[in-house]
Amino acid sequence: MKTWVLIALIAGVIALLLGIITQLAGGAIIISAAAWNDFAQTLILLAIGLGVLDYFNKK
């Protein structure tokens, strides 16, 4: 389960960086900057949820 948390967190950070780069570039890189930031938020929330699930499953 830790690997899924790590994968979701790394993907969220990458999406956040792409959102920042897209905002600075001024044009869309595949999708708009707001969409990248929303996707990053979703992935980081998923990582938090998986981490909490893993914590409670080990108790």
Side-chain angles (χ1 to χ4, degrees):
M1 185 65 89
K2 280 187 176 183
T3 57
W4 288 111
V5 173
L6 191 59
I7 289 170
L9 191 61
I10 290 172
V13 169
I14 290 171
L16 182 64
L17 289 175
L18 282 172
I20 292 170
I21 290 169
T22 302
Q23 183 68 33
L24 292 175
I29 300 176
I30 302 173
I31 54 177
S32 67
W36 279 119
N37 290 334
D38 290 342
F39 185 56
Q41 177 182 349
T42 302
L43 287 173
I44 292 172
L45 185 61
L46 177 67
I48 292 170
L50 288 173
V52 168
L53 180 67
D54 187 38
Y55 175 77
F56 283 123
N57 280 339
K58 288 186 178 181
K59 270 195 153 184

